[in-house]
Amino acid sequence: MKRRMTLGDFLVAYLGKIGVRHVFGIPGDLALKLFFALGRQQALEVLTFSHEPGVGFAADGYARATNKIGVICVTYGAGGHNMVNPVAGSFSERVPLLIFSGGPGEEERKLGTLIHHQAREVESQHRIYKEVTCASRVLTDPRTAAQELHAVVCAVWAEQRPGYIEIHRDMVDREIDVPDELIEWDGRLHSQESDARKVEEAARETVAMFNASRKPVLIAGIEIHRYKVAHELIELAEKMGAPVMATVLGKGAFPMDHPLYMGVHIGPISPPPIVARMDQADFVLNLGCLRTDMNFGNRPPSIILDKSVWAVDRRVDVKYHTYTDVGVRDFVRALLKHELRKHRETVVYASNLNGGATAGAALSSPVKVSELLNVVNDFLAENKRYLVVAESGDMLFGGLDLRVPHQGNYLAQGFYASMGFAVPAAIGAQVACGLRPLVLCGDGAFQMTGPEISQAPKLGANPIVLVVNNGGWGIFRPVAERRELLEIPPWPYARLAQDWGGVGFEANNAAELRSALRAAHQSKTFAVIDVHVGRDDLSPVTVKYIKAAAKRSQAPAAERKTAPHGLPRPT
Ligand SMILES: Cc1ncc(C[n+]2csc(CCOP(=O)(O)OP(=O)(O)O)c2C)c(N)n1
Ligand SMILES: [Mg+2]
């Protein structure tokens, strides 16, 4: 880094300094200089996809899998607007991305004509991005460009949310001033600081409640991933000896094969042993759990406030009062410093599947969704280093019953739940962390971004994709008035995979699925397994979710406004 350098050179130097090695993107004329500045020889490795949503989801998967910033470069307008949905998902689920967009140069903007790719005004795209980013700037001033970029990156890291930088095409080669403090900076980004006195007091109060409890429970949420507290959480759970559950969004935050892990808590539609254990709980410690309808099975949390502590969004709610400026990481670390009374509960893992039994199922055709999940669980138990990626649709709920050993991992967009996430996110994640992805994806979702799998060989990735083929948008069939509106065209998924450079299989029963998985595991290229499931068959959690939602929609309005224990409905 030098005192004066072109903005393009500065970007490469700056990103290198913060440890970024990859950029995801698709070029366009208004971003061409930017794209080639970032991707010039010995700069960043550029990963391109077929369509901007693929780029965005891949960068998101990359960031989730590594806890690094996922960097994106797109063109203005057509490209930038295509990217809004993935970025909104990353904003919603606290994933750090940095989006660079090109834009028209100063001279073009002075012409007074509309510029191609423009929607309303030249500034419109920036305005749209303000809604889905934590910080954003259009870099137009060479004197301040370096500091402005740095300010956005610091915010992205501190808030673990996307940031947006627009660079007009005539700015890339302009010389800019780089302040000494950036040249001397060691490249380390920092989390937001907590107020140490509040952390300590919140921890003391929490520990007193915990030590007085007889049946405590720990629930792990998404912030455990985002603020990198997973190791400390294991230590805390082992010191407490209490059962640990994960939320839908937090699945994978605690090792699924740990003896204290009980399974996924999704409110009243959790597996019956989890519902029963929650009913007995006299203390619930929620660490990093967002209060979302997804986490609570489509209804408000029925947790008694005077028995719970809730640490999320930089605040800790203890009973009826709140400590602000307390990050979950500092809070967990403070808890660990205290004397904790160790419980010795024997925890039994609970799911919605009836054991691993698929015996006798080999002949049932089409494959039952619960059989499919059992076969996948058997496969994961035998082949440990897989990253399971669950797609929105029935598999978002089906995936909750999968148990991935700790050498692997689990990834899903569990709350924003955009279809199209899984395949590109899996590719981005594999580039980032090296684990081979096993993607569970509905046929409808595959038709959105599944063809991005054809990019995998070029990027050195080889996911195994299970296309759960029920011939349509199956999750809505139980409530559809006109089922024909949920049909989708049949694609030859296995053949397409072969034409695109991978291997393809069809599975009509559990035995065929087992052998297809085995063959896919052996294959060095990506694999698509077209699994024919019953048109009306859905995973156990989806069935419960739909039933609970139907029941709620029939409940009288007065009953719906508040939770059983008086908590307001989550917003
Ligand atoms: C981008 C986007 N569009 C629409 C939806 C609404 N949606 C949720 S699930 C679903 C159908 C899923 O169909 P498929 O992928 O085949 O999964 P299935 O439920 O049939 O297993 C739709 C349309 C969504 N979540 N995301
Ligand atoms: Mg489907």
Side-chain angles (χ1 to χ4, degrees):
M1 226 181 244
K2 289 184 276 189
R3 282 225 170 98
R4 285 194 61 82
M5 55 202 303
T6 66
L7 178 54
D9 287 346
F10 170 72
L11 294 177
V12 172
Y14 181 91
L15 293 172
K17 198 162 190 167
I18 62 169
V20 170
R21 302 276 171 268
H22 298 92
V23 55
F24 297 77
I26 295 181
D29 64 341
L30 298 181
L32 220 48
K33 278 208 162 137
L34 182 60
F35 184 83
F36 285 108
L38 295 174
R40 65 152 205 251
Q41 291 291 342
Q42 283 161 9
L44 302 165
E45 198 178 319
V46 179
L47 295 95
T48 58
F49 286 77
S50 312
H51 194 198
E52 281 83 1
V55 172
F57 291 135
D60 178 303
Y62 174 95
R64 285 181 202 243
T66 49
N67 287 323
K68 285 187 188 163
I69 296 178
V71 178
I72 289 169
C73 175
V74 284
T75 194
Y76 174 79
H81 294 152
N82 248 341
M83 182 63 67
V84 172
N85 180 50
V87 174
S90 309
F91 183 85
S92 164
E93 298 201 355
R94 276 101 167 135
V95 181
L97 298 183
L98 182 62
I99 302 100
F100 287 105
S101 170
E106 204 178 333
E107 291 307 315
E108 294 158 276
R109 278 178 286 142
K110 279 189 199 147
L111 286 177
T113 58
L114 292 170
I115 299 161
H116 65 288
H117 296 328
Q118 182 177 336
R120 182 185 283 255
E121 287 156 17
V122 175
E123 298 77 22
S124 297
Q125 178 170 311
H126 182 204
R127 277 191 221 121
I128 292 168
Y129 270 95
K130 280 187 177 166
E131 275 298 310
V132 291
T133 53
C134 66
S136 62
R137 293 278 199 292
V138 182
L139 303 186
T140 51
D141 186 344
R143 289 164 305 177
T144 55
Q147 271 153 321
E148 289 182 75
L149 170 73
H150 184 53
V152 170
V153 171
C154 289
V156 165
W157 195 249
E159 298 190 33
Q160 294 285 299
R161 284 190 141 148
Y164 173 82
I165 297 282
E166 194 172 301
I167 298 177
H168 298 152
R169 62 170 153 182
D170 55 352
M171 277 296 290
V172 179
D173 293 334
R174 288 278 290 275
E175 291 238 317
I176 64 160
D177 295 332
V178 182
D180 287 343
E181 61 262 32
L182 271 188
I183 297 172
E184 286 152 20
W185 175 54
D186 63 4
R188 242 184 281 159
L189 295 163
H190 298 285
S191 319
Q192 267 168 298
E193 284 194 10
S194 301
D195 182 323
R197 294 158 308 176
K198 293 183 185 180
V199 172
E200 188 39 45
E201 199 168 315
R204 225 180 308 124
E205 220 186 327
T206 304
V207 167
M209 282 171 79
F210 172 78
N211 284 344
S213 70
R214 297 160 62 91
K215 292 288 260 180
V217 165
L218 248 153
I219 308 187
I222 191 169
E223 285 193 351
I224 298 295
H225 285 301
R226 293 297 175 273
Y227 294 104
K228 305 150 200 57
V229 210
H231 291 294
E232 287 94 333
L233 176 65
I234 297 172
E235 199 183 331
L236 182 68
E238 289 173 355
K239 269 182 108 177
M240 289 180 160
V244 183
M245 301 165 189
T247 58
V248 175
L249 270 170
K251 186 175 164 97
F254 193 77
M256 289 174 232
D257 50 0
H258 192 284
L260 290 170
Y261 182 63
M262 197 168 177
V264 177
H265 177 253
I266 174 168
I269 61 168
S270 310
I274 290 186
V275 175
R277 184 60 186 79
M278 282 299 284
D279 285 346
Q280 294 165 2
D282 59 355
F283 178 66
V284 183
L285 179 54
N286 298 276
L287 294 173
C289 313
L290 300 181
R291 294 175 176 93
T292 75
D293 58 348
M294 274 293 200
N295 279 345
F296 292 98
N298 203 11
R299 53 181 300 165
S302 58
I303 289 162
I304 308 162
L305 273 188
D306 57 10
K307 290 178 183 164
S308 79
V309 169
W310 208 307
V312 74
D313 265 339
R314 293 184 48 75
R315 49 185 270 177
V316 176
D317 295 336
V318 179
K319 299 184 188 180
Y320 300 98
H321 56 280
T322 297
Y323 297 90
T324 53
D325 307 313
V326 180
V328 71
R329 187 172 177 178
D330 295 322
F331 181 57
V332 171
R333 286 183 176 174
L335 292 174
L336 277 171
K337 288 194 196 127
H338 284 261
E339 204 62 44
L340 294 160
R341 197 183 120 209
K342 182 161 175 152
H343 293 253
R344 303 203 182 271
E345 186 167 335
T346 307
V347 178
V348 180
Y349 171 75
S351 83
N352 301 282
L353 301 172
N354 302 323
T358 47
L363 297 178
S364 92
S365 179
V367 184
K368 288 208 179 81
V369 174
S370 54
E371 268 171 27
L372 177 150
L373 297 170
N374 277 325
V375 170
V376 172
N377 269 333
D378 292 348
F379 176 79
L380 293 169
E382 273 167 39
N383 305 289
K384 298 217 160 62
R385 287 180 50 80
Y386 271 91
L387 170 69
V388 172
V389 186
E391 175 63 294
S392 176
D394 184 37
M395 281 304 112
L396 192 59
F397 296 111
L400 299 179
D401 282 325
L402 293 178
R403 198 173 187 191
V404 190
H406 73 273
Q407 296 96 321
N409 212 333
Y410 185 87
L411 212 156
Q413 202 185 50
F415 168 61
Y416 186 77
S418 175
M419 284 164 80
F421 172 80
V423 168
I427 296 172
Q430 187 174 10
V431 169
C433 73
L435 289 176
R436 189 175 189 187
L438 177 63
V439 183
L440 277 85
C441 181
D443 47 352
F446 190 87
Q447 291 192 7
M448 285 195 180
T449 57
E452 297 285 11
I453 196 73
S454 66
Q455 305 283 354
K458 173 187 93 183
L459 303 172
N462 63 347
I464 299 176
V465 183
L466 260 62
V467 177
V468 183
N469 184 351
N470 55 16
W473 298 319
I475 195 164
F476 301 129
R477 286 201 180 110
V479 293
E481 283 172 24
R482 290 185 54 199
R483 288 166 58 95
E484 71 277 17
L485 299 185
L486 303 178
E487 295 294 295
I488 60 172
W491 282 17
Y493 302 101
R495 215 173 59 221
L496 286 171
Q498 294 188 340
D499 289 351
W500 290 336
V503 290
F505 307 90
E506 289 200 40
N508 289 294
N509 57 49
E512 286 179 9
L513 175 57
R514 272 183 203 284
S515 56
L517 273 169
R518 225 173 290 132
H521 177 70
Q522 301 297 336
S523 161
K524 295 240 178 313
T525 64
F526 73 83
V528 173
I529 307 176
D530 179 357
V531 192
H532 296 267
V533 300
R535 291 175 65 79
D536 291 300
D537 192 15
L538 291 165
S539 64
V541 185
T542 298
V543 172
K544 287 201 261 182
Y545 191 86
I546 291 172
K547 275 193 193 148
K551 213 159 136 195
R552 279 191 67 68
S553 68
Q554 285 160 7
E559 205 179 294
R560 264 181 276 140
K561 267 191 205 123
T562 52
H565 301 290
L567 276 183
R569 279 175 65 73
T571 47

